[in-house]
Amino acid sequence: MVDVQLQHEVEQFLYQEAEILDHRRFQEWLDLFTEDAHYWMPIRSTRARGDEANEFTREDENSYFDDDKPMLARRVAKFDTGFSWAEDPPSRTRHMVTNVRIRNGAGTNEIAVVCNFIVYRSRMATDEDLWIGEREDLLRKVDGQWRIARRKIFLDQTVLRSKNLSSFL
Amino acid sequence: MAIDMHTLVDRARGLVSRRIMADEEIYRLELERIFNRCWLFLAHESQLAKPGQFVTTWMGDEPVIVTRDSHGQVHAMINSCRHRGNSVCRAEAGRTSSFMCTYHGWTYGLDGQLVGVPGYEERYHGDLDRRQWGLIPVSQVASYKGLIFGTFDPQAPPLEEYLGDARWALDYILDQRSGGTEVVGGVFKWLINSNWKLSADNVMGDNYHGAITHRSATTVGHQTLSRIERRNNGRGDDLPAGPGVRPGFSAPLGWGHGFMCDLQPPGDHSFMEHPEPLRSYYRETLPELERRLGPMRARVKKINLTLFPHASFTTSSNMLHVWHPRGPTQTEVWLYVIVDKDAPDEVKQLLRQSAQRHFSPSGMFEQDDMDNWELSTQAAGRTISRNYPLHYGMGLGHEGWEDDGVVSRQINAINDESNQRAFYYGWDDFISSGNWDALRRKRAAWESGQPVAEGAALGG
Ligand code: FES
Ligand SMILES: [Fe+2]
């Protein structure tokens, strides 16, 4: 069984991250990533049973996000240019993180953590988006703090029912 | 309410009725006269590399399956069982030997022929001509340098004639190297609540919006990777035109096609100052490009092309957007990344990454286009606003027409809305023409510089 203390720590870390995102403290959010971080979200497609291996694009194929930390930083810098129209007025997001499972590595300084997420976005008067899926994080302890070294985001939608992805998941 | 189609595009003043961006009746007409007649992009051949591979797509409001059969032949047919109409394929892509309908089990081959009918003897008594009950075929299917197109119109001219002078730009995209192109795995697909035409006209001609719409991306130094110069502190892309700043030309073609092309002065190869390994790749392949396509296209920095009606190519990051209409006020955007088949993997990776960061739904540029189009579409449906036309008149009457043999007729700058006007003239020609002879006459007239005066004045 996973150590209760570790489980608690990891959950609190993910809840903190959700709060930081929902409160648009994006510089702080960047600090949660290691310098070598990779943020990746493949494309999903509807496939017949038996063809599940091709449901998600591979790492060398197209993806919604395939970002290193400098690229994430550029996305964040974009918000503050004064011309970032997709986020001006800004999205109102609510990140729900649930079903947190620690996969391995308890006791080392790296652990794989899987969770489910629901992200709701409300924007302007009536725009609404709902992004639901599973996240697979590799967390690393750096100077006594958990940091995100890898994030893989698996959305449940195939055709994205959103005009854009100007929010982070 | 009956709509007079001749009041929708005002050629004398470069005005376009807002109604065509939201009206249900006009949308039905577009499906019949444009999407059911024009050659439409279906797939890239590399998506169907192996026998039995298939993809599903849209042609207007019809869902279509595109297959490669065991003889290597490509087929396209409507994804609807001839018995009761159920879909026979529910996947976006895959590999199969046949399509069995899940309702009663009628089964179709990769060529669309009806090959299996449960109870054919006992229930139908053999009294069903299976040859007559195959899937509804797309009337013509043809390839152009790796791109597969189809049309529902048996009368449509051959694909090459349909593409016409747009091939100058298409060849630049598809034919730089002898090995041809392929698409990167995975097609971006997303829904936007806007009219399909606003996107199609934007890519082919709107170099006006970049300085405002995309200012945040350029401000933080985001840039694309293709053959674009890196002057202006890396802000070379999408800046307003000025004399000597952007040598290039616009090609507002007939039948609604059009492209704009940025050129480098002869002998100036600063457009290859890209990150490695892209720079080396472009340097090494330039002689091959020049050999295949000639000196002019060796100077191309960037081409933006829309093939009427809804396939838009942007050579910065090697992208193809297809704007599938899903109603008058909704568009399903499909984005493909096209790369030279023989390019090294690291080059393909760079281009793929650049496309994702630039023009996918999360793209630093693409994000900011969508509100503009959605809010413009909403206004087009409103009772008062819809009576006020849209202004597509920039530079009308001030075009620097020239003829240097690249295409039939071109404009020696990229600083007006000629391409967008050509798009709506083409739109108007398809909507108002009953047959291809009339369409051919109108195209010839436009491309020779003597357009037939069509379309009455709009609003007051
Ligand atoms: S609807 Fe397809 S077999 Fe009956
Ligand atoms: Fe744009």
Side-chain angles (χ1 to χ4, degrees), chain B residues 437-448:
Chain B
D437 283 341
L439 279 162
R440 281 195 178 93
R441 274 198 305 279
K442 289 176 185 177
R443 177 191 217 172
W446 168 252
E447 293 190 344
S448 69

Side-chain angles (χ1 to χ4, degrees), chain B residues 202-203 206 209-210 213-214 238 359 365-366 368-369 372-373:
Chain B
N202 172 281
V203 174
D206 194 324
H209 81 299
T213 296
H214 301 304
D238 276 317
F359 265 114
F365 280 71
E366 191 89 357
D368 292 318
D369 282 314
N372 296 338
W373 297 336

Side-chain angles (χ1 to χ4, degrees), chain A residues 33-34 36-38 110 138-140 147-151:
Chain A
F33 287 83
T34 61
D36 65 344
H38 185 222
E110 276 195 355
L138 181 71
L139 302 187
R140 187 185 301 153
R147 292 288 175 259
I148 304 161
R150 302 274 178 281
R151 170 159 294 172

Side-chain angles (χ1 to χ4, degrees), chain B residues 135-246:
Chain B
L135 296 176
I136 302 163
V138 173
S139 303
Q140 301 187 60
V141 176
S143 283
Y144 185 79
K145 300 191 176 180
L147 303 187
I148 303 166
F149 292 81
T151 170
F152 282 123
D153 187 352
Q155 311 299 326
L159 175 60
E160 300 220 347
E161 180 190 340
Y162 177 79
L163 298 172
D165 281 343
R167 286 173 299 173
W168 193 90
L170 259 188
D171 290 352
Y172 177 77
I173 295 157
L174 302 170
D175 206 11
Q176 294 186 5
R177 306 207 52 201
S178 59
T181 61
E182 65 186 13
V183 289
V184 175
V187 183
F188 296 93
K189 300 180 179 181
W190 72 104
L191 280 169
I192 58 179
N193 292 314
S194 57
N195 185 273
W196 64 275
K197 295 186 290 300
L198 290 169
S199 316
D201 93 48
N202 172 281
V203 174
M204 74 197 283
D206 194 324
N207 90 323
Y208 188 37
H209 81 299
I212 299 297
T213 296
H214 301 304
R215 186 141 170 203
S216 63
T218 47
T219 300
V220 298
H222 186 70
Q223 57 193 335
T224 54
L225 286 181
S226 203
R227 296 178 186 261
I228 300 173
E229 63 176 339
R230 302 178 79 195
R231 287 182 188 152
N232 307 317
N233 305 319
R235 298 185 302 135
D237 191 17
D238 276 317
L239 285 175
V245 175
R246 283 178 78 121

Side-chain angles (χ1 to χ4, degrees), chain A residues 46 62-64 75 78 86 163, chain B residues 92 185-186 356 362 368 371:
Chain A
T46 304
N62 285 327
S63 53
Y64 292 111
R75 294 183 186 280
K78 180 183 190 298
K163 71 177 118 186
Chain B
E92 286 174 56
Q356 169 255 306
S362 73
D368 292 318
D371 281 336

Side-chain angles (χ1 to χ4, degrees), chain B residues 22-258:
Chain B
D23 186 271
E24 194 65 50
E25 192 187 337
I26 292 172
Y27 175 67
R28 300 305 310 174
L29 211 64
E30 285 180 340
L31 290 177
E32 284 164 26
R33 298 204 177 168
I34 294 174
F35 287 91
N36 291 352
R37 290 205 292 183
C38 292
W39 283 95
L40 305 176
F41 172 79
L42 299 181
H44 191 287
E45 280 178 358
S46 62
Q47 295 175 281
L48 305 172
K50 300 185 198 115
Q53 280 193 311
F54 68 87
V55 294
T56 52
T57 184
W58 295 102
M59 289 177 71
D61 64 347
E62 292 289 357
V64 166
I65 313 172
V66 190
T67 65
R68 187 179 295 278
D69 69 18
S70 49
H71 309 290
Q73 185 77 30
V74 172
H75 302 272
M77 49 262 171
I78 292 179
N79 185 4
S80 170
C81 179
R82 293 291 304 282
H83 181 229
R84 287 291 184 279
N86 183 28
S87 301
V88 299
C89 175
R90 296 170 184 183
E92 286 174 56
R95 198 171 176 192
T96 187
S97 54
S98 60
F99 299 98
M100 191 198 76
C101 177
T102 56
Y103 201 167
H104 312 92
W106 284 24
T107 300
Y108 304 87
L110 290 163
D111 57 0
Q113 291 300 308
L114 180 59
V115 293
V117 177
Y120 179 70
E121 293 300 339
E122 318 81 83
R123 288 172 175 264
Y124 285 97
H125 312 285
D127 196 8
L128 173 75
D129 185 354
R130 281 173 290 199
R131 285 165 309 176
Q132 301 297 317
W133 291 91
L135 296 176
I136 302 163
V138 173
S139 303
Q140 301 187 60
V141 176
S143 283
Y144 185 79
K145 300 191 176 180
L147 303 187
I148 303 166
F149 292 81
T151 170
F152 282 123
D153 187 352
Q155 311 299 326
L159 175 60
E160 300 220 347
E161 180 190 340
Y162 177 79
L163 298 172
D165 281 343
R167 286 173 299 173
W168 193 90
L170 259 188
D171 290 352
Y172 177 77
I173 295 157
L174 302 170
D175 206 11
Q176 294 186 5
R177 306 207 52 201
S178 59
T181 61
E182 65 186 13
V183 289
V184 175
V187 183
F188 296 93
K189 300 180 179 181
W190 72 104
L191 280 169
I192 58 179
N193 292 314
S194 57
N195 185 273
W196 64 275
K197 295 186 290 300
L198 290 169
S199 316
D201 93 48
N202 172 281
V203 174
M204 74 197 283
D206 194 324
N207 90 323
Y208 188 37
H209 81 299
I212 299 297
T213 296
H214 301 304
R215 186 141 170 203
S216 63
T218 47
T219 300
V220 298
H222 186 70
Q223 57 193 335
T224 54
L225 286 181
S226 203
R227 296 178 186 261
I228 300 173
E229 63 176 339
R230 302 178 79 195
R231 287 182 188 152
N232 307 317
N233 305 319
R235 298 185 302 135
D237 191 17
D238 276 317
L239 285 175
V245 175
R246 283 178 78 121
F249 65 92
S250 313
L253 304 172
W255 287 356
H257 307 310

